[in-house]
Amino acid sequence: MTQALTSEEKSKDEFFQALARVAEDMVEKHGKEFASGALILAAQWVAQNRIGKKDDPMH
């Protein structure tokens, strides 16, 4: 029997699907190197608190 996903799991799955679509579009239009670099850069920005919710806003 399959266990139903929680609302949080469903939300995360939707984000993974959206991210996959964006990545596929970037690869199609600009190649794997661009897509990989852009996704890595975005991950670094999240890790560095440069995008997303900030605990201490600069402005």
Side-chain angles (χ1 to χ4, degrees), residues 4-24:
L5 296 176
T6 66
S7 61
E8 181 177 357
E9 291 169 330
K10 288 177 186 176
S11 175
K12 289 178 180 180
D13 189 51
E14 290 171 4
F15 279 111
F16 276 121
Q17 291 176 23
L19 185 56
R21 286 189 298 272
V22 169
E24 288 171 351

Side-chain angles (χ1 to χ4, degrees), residues 10-46:
K10 288 177 186 176
S11 175
K12 289 178 180 180
D13 189 51
E14 290 171 4
F15 279 111
F16 276 121
Q17 291 176 23
L19 185 56
R21 286 189 298 272
V22 169
E24 288 171 351
D25 288 346
M26 287 192 297
V27 169
E28 184 179 319
K29 293 178 183 176
H30 301 291
K32 290 191 310 186
E33 292 79 12
F34 170 77
S36 297
L39 294 169
I40 290 168
L41 187 58
Q44 287 175 335
W45 289 346
V46 170

